[in-house]
Amino acid sequence: MNLEALPAVPPPGPVSSPRPVVLVVEDEASYVDALEVGLTSEGFTVVAASTLRAARQRLAGHPVDVVLLDVMLPDGSGIDLCRDITASSSTPVIMVSARSEEVDVVLGLEIGAADYVTKPFRLRELVARLRVVLRRAPPDDEDVVRVGEVVVDLARRTVRRGPRVVELSRKEFDLLALLCSRLGHVVTREMALDTLWWGVDLNDDRTLDTHVKRLRQKLESDPGAPRHLVTVRGVGFRLDP
Ligand code: CA
């Protein structure tokens, strides 16, 4: 069986397709065979790629609904592909690792994976996880902003960080939305205060710092050394993608 061969079937549809299309990026033929049988019977359409190169070709040609991505592949690491997919689309990626140590690596990196499973996994568990990430896959539109592993859906006012939903207060979300609206550009303290607390007589503007601090605690891996919500000294703040 040549796993690199592209399927001869017509291109699958987007998320709304009645049979969600799963791209299985996996070099162990036994897994691919089992997943093709199992996931097909569960109502998915399975396409397979055994290398990073084949996966990239497949993704460039036609979008898929979800990617099941092995960490160790013959021509490199699935982590790199995960980063590329999540940086350029809203396609959810479930990482598959052979060892639990790999899971720590996967989770320690901000690669945007929606979830992960460890081999050997049960089909039932995988199907449940696939359905969860497909349900929450945000639409690929301008209302969705990605910052590292954080996904902000401005229309739905929801925030995810990797697989988890992040709870924000109304003001915290408003501040995040303001920062998203000027992604990569500075938001001055005056701009933030006017937008969020217009007409409110704040005793001091430390309220703004408190909100920034809380956002960092919820969104940054290391809130003490923020990588995304950075301070522009003497001016304001900037959200870096
Ligand atoms: Ca492998």
Side-chain angles (χ1 to χ4, degrees):
M1 181 174 161
N2 180 8
L3 295 176
E4 284 213 42
L6 300 184
V9 296
V15 176
S16 57
S17 161
R19 286 182 71 88
V21 179
V22 186
L23 173 61
V24 175
V25 189
E26 170 64 75
D27 57 316
E28 284 179 55
S30 60
Y31 265 91
V32 177
D33 293 347
L35 287 171
E36 277 182 335
V37 172
L39 291 179
T40 301
S41 75
E42 289 288 333
F44 295 87
T45 295
V46 177
V47 291
S50 63
T51 62
L52 291 176
R53 192 177 63 86
R56 288 182 198 279
Q57 277 178 3
R58 180 60 181 72
L59 288 167
H62 310 289
V64 299
D65 294 307
V66 58
V67 180
L68 194 62
L69 179 53
D70 191 30
V71 173
M72 299 283 283
L73 291 157
D75 55 347
S77 167
I79 288 171
D80 297 329
L81 180 59
C82 180
R83 274 207 189 91
D84 292 348
I85 293 171
T86 56
S88 62
S89 75
S90 61
T91 307
V93 178
I94 296 181
M95 297 300 297
V96 181
S97 67
R99 302 188 310 273
S100 50
E101 307 91 81
E102 280 180 3
V103 172
D104 296 336
V105 173
V106 169
L107 294 181
L109 300 168
E110 295 183 358
I111 61 171
D115 207 346
Y116 66 91
V117 291
T118 309
K119 292 175 183 173
F121 50 81
R122 290 179 308 150
L123 181 68
R124 188 183 297 174
E125 179 196 359
L126 177 64
V127 167
R129 287 169 187 272
L130 282 169
R131 295 209 165 115
V132 167
V133 300
L134 283 170
R135 259 204 303 277
R136 73 183 178 216
D140 227 343
D141 62 29
E142 60 192 15
D143 288 334
V144 175
V145 176
R146 292 172 172 278
V147 179
E149 61 171 354
V150 174
V151 179
V152 184
D153 187 329
L154 296 167
R156 295 187 180 86
R157 292 181 70 89
T158 58
V159 180
R160 271 197 303 120
R161 182 176 164 200
R164 298 175 302 283
V165 171
V166 179
E167 302 285 349
L168 296 183
S169 74
R170 185 174 163 184
K171 284 288 188 207
E172 287 164 4
F173 188 89
D174 289 345
L175 176 57
L176 181 60
L178 174 64
L179 289 158
C180 285
S181 74
R182 295 187 47 81
L183 196 62
H185 297 276
V186 68
V187 170
T188 65
R189 297 183 66 87
E190 292 72 25
M191 197 188 293
L193 290 167
D194 283 353
T195 305
L196 273 80
W197 289 281
W198 178 254
V200 178
D201 189 17
L202 295 175
N203 290 330
D204 56 57
D205 61 4
R206 270 179 296 183
T207 304
L208 174 59
D209 298 299
T210 306
H211 280 73
V212 168
K213 189 177 169 189
R214 286 203 205 115
L215 276 182
R216 282 179 178 147
Q217 285 165 351
K218 293 178 180 182
L219 304 178
E220 295 276 357
S221 307
D222 181 359
R227 290 177 54 201
H228 299 296
L229 208 180
V230 298
T231 299
V232 182
R233 198 171 289 279
V235 182
F237 304 96
R238 189 182 64 231
L239 192 61
D240 284 337

